[in-house]
Amino acid sequence: MKTFKKSMMILGVLIAVLLLSGIAFLYTKPFGAHPAGERLKRIERSPHYKAGAFHNLEPTPMLTEGTGYVEVLYDFFAGAKPKEPQEPLPHQKTDLMALEPHENVLVWMGHSSYFIQLDGVKILVDPVFSGNASPVSFTTKAYAGSDIYTPEDMPAIDYLFITHDHWDHLDYPTMRRLRNKIKKVICGLGVGAHLERWGYASESIIEQNWYESFKPKAGWEVHTLPARHFSGRGIKRNQTLWVSFALISPVARIYMGGDSGYGKHFLDIGERYGPFDLAILENGQYDVCWKYIHMLPGEQLQAAKALRAYTLLPVHSSKFTLATHDWDEPLKKIVENQEKSVRVITPMIGEKVNLDDRQQTFKRWWEGW
């Protein structure tokens, strides 16, 4: 009996140590910080913040009706594994340092990371250059050939846009290494708490609520707008605001959608701020089990039409496996479903998109390699 009691005591101590270690891990720097003080007071004044959390404009359950978390976890971990690339993905690495100031270009870097230069202004969106999209480096690893850019490849960035604080959009190692290259960061309410913990100066951070705006320079407007999603880097969700952006300049009108399920906000944004020359919309990591927080195939085209967008760039694919579909399915489906009313472009990772050329064509690079 004494041996049994001793064994149970040791087991209890080990469990306590593991629990305490797990809790301590959640407070390490990569997890950022929860809003507090004046930042939290501003959040509490938002009409979108109720009962201690942000809410979407329309009811948005995490899982589709009739679906349970046990079912989803079983499918993800024990179901048939989605196809992943067996060879490095084709890519073209554009030298961002060598761009001429007059070039109006976009370079997609896989998943939801991309660089834009408009009228000499350099913009970076949701950069994830660490090789994984997770708090631990051995999970959610980038596909070979998809992770070709590093923070050191970036020129000085005038405006860094962060759509929300999920690990596949806000990457601590990348943000830490980019810090001295970033002049201003634009993000949703609360995200600045993460950035300040990571050494970003408060005066360099512009935090906005939905439907707030500012003017970076004469003739330019940035509108921070809704998305239909959620946020959170740890256990507690929706403490920071997930957003999309409308960038309106004399050179181009661009909608940066971030992560979003299909919703009525697209039509509202199109009516208020459209038409857009380009809409950048998520196309990947979807599942019928979570259809309200990520668009299913075909909904990207509906959203582009609601936004009154001439060109659609599908992103949120080709770098990480975060759902149960094959890695190339999103690209196959969007070109199969495309309509004449919306131009769909599919550049390779790193390939230069000329924003002044509406006739530029791109290969179906995911085929036949």
Side-chain angles (χ1 to χ4, degrees):
M1 182 63 72
K2 287 183 178 179
T3 302
F4 176 75
K5 286 183 177 179
K6 186 176 181 180
S7 298
M8 292 305 294
M9 186 179 298
I10 292 171
L11 179 61
V13 170
L14 288 173
I15 291 172
V17 168
L18 288 172
L19 286 172
L20 289 172
S21 297
I23 293 169
F25 180 58
L26 292 175
Y27 284 90
T28 57
K29 269 195 172 183
F31 286 85
H34 287 305
E38 290 302 317
R39 176 175 281 112
L40 181 57
K41 288 179 182 178
R42 182 184 175 197
I43 285 171
E44 290 171 340
R45 293 194 294 270
S46 169
H48 313 298
Y49 187 84
K50 300 172 185 176
F54 282 106
H55 295 266
N56 285 287
L57 293 178
E58 54 191 306
T60 304
M62 291 295 298
L63 295 180
T64 305
E65 297 84 351
T67 302
Y69 282 101
V70 172
E71 175 189 346
V72 169
L73 290 172
Y74 179 85
D75 286 345
F76 192 82
F77 290 107
K81 298 299 181 185
K83 181 180 70 176
E84 295 186 347
Q86 298 303 303
E87 299 177 13
L89 293 181
H91 56 267
Q92 294 179 7
K93 189 171 182 180
T94 298
D95 185 351
L96 304 180
M97 302 284 196
L99 293 174
E100 296 294 335
H102 67 272
E103 291 186 88
N104 297 318
V105 301
L106 179 147
V107 176
W108 175 54
M109 300 166 178
H111 201 63
S112 294
S113 305
Y114 48 94
F115 169 89
I116 298 172
Q117 179 176 280
L118 282 179
D119 197 22
V121 176
K122 293 177 173 60
I123 294 164
L124 188 61
V125 181
D126 289 357
V128 178
F129 302 146
S130 66
N132 75 290
S134 149
V136 287
S137 61
F138 56 85
T139 63
T140 320
K141 296 184 74 66
Y143 305 146
S146 72
D147 202 37
I148 61 173
Y149 282 98
T150 69
E152 290 68 37
D153 292 321
M154 298 300 109
I157 300 297
D158 296 298
Y159 294 97
L160 170 65
F161 288 79
I162 300 295
T163 62
H164 62 297
D165 68 1
H166 284 159
W167 297 88
D168 57 323
H169 293 257
L170 182 61
D171 182 49
Y172 169 67
T174 300
M175 294 297 293
R176 184 184 60 193
R177 290 163 61 189
L178 278 175
R179 187 172 58 205
N180 294 330
K181 293 192 173 191
I182 306 299
K183 297 178 183 177
K184 293 285 184 182
V185 185
I186 305 164
C187 55
L189 292 179
V191 176
H194 301 316
L195 303 178
E196 287 182 6
R197 188 180 183 194
W198 299 341
Y200 282 73
S202 58
E203 59 268 21
S204 72
I205 303 167
I206 302 170
E207 286 179 78
Q208 294 206 310
N209 206 346
W210 291 336
Y211 295 111
E212 289 187 338
S213 306
F214 79 99
K215 295 184 177 181
K217 56 186 289 189
W220 285 59
E221 299 172 8
V222 171
H223 302 276
T224 302
L225 301 170
R228 192 181 188 191
H229 200 54
F230 67 109
S231 66
R233 297 178 71 78
I235 295 173
K236 200 171 184 181
R237 290 178 178 156
N238 300 346
Q239 301 304 291
T240 64
L241 188 62
W242 50 99
V243 301
S244 63
F245 298 101
L247 173 61
I248 299 172
S249 77
V251 177
R253 304 172 70 91
I254 298 175
Y255 178 71
M256 301 178 284
D259 278 6
S260 180
Y262 190 80
K264 61 185 181 181
H265 62 287
F266 289 122
L267 184 60
D268 179 65
I269 291 168
E271 290 175 346
R272 292 198 197 194
Y273 306 101
F276 293 100
D277 299 295
L278 174 66
I280 306 165
L281 298 174
E282 63 142 78
N283 175 50
Q285 321 317 321
Y286 49 74
D287 194 292
V288 292
C289 293
W290 52 79
K291 67 177 184 179
Y292 296 112
I293 56 173
H294 286 295
M295 284 187 275
L296 296 175
E299 290 182 325
Q300 301 81 9
L301 294 162
Q302 295 176 42
K305 287 190 285 187
L307 290 163
R308 297 194 289 153
Y310 181 84
T311 298
L312 165 61
L313 170 63
V315 298
H316 208 240
S317 70
S318 307
K319 191 166 187 174
F320 305 113
T321 297
L322 298 171
T324 57
H325 60 69
D326 292 343
W327 79 270
D328 55 355
E329 181 183 289
L331 291 163
K332 287 180 177 179
K333 286 189 175 293
I334 200 159
V335 297
E336 288 171 2
N337 295 331
Q338 65 182 305
E339 305 170 11
K340 291 182 179 179
S341 58
V342 180
R343 172 183 175 239
V344 177
I345 60 172
T346 54
M348 282 188 284
I349 290 172
E351 184 176 4
K352 186 190 296 186
V353 177
N354 183 348
L355 295 174
D356 295 328
D357 183 2
R358 289 189 169 190
Q359 304 305 314
Q360 186 180 7
T361 59
F362 301 91
K363 296 178 181 178
R364 296 188 180 186
W365 54 266
W366 58 93
E367 297 179 348
W369 61 278

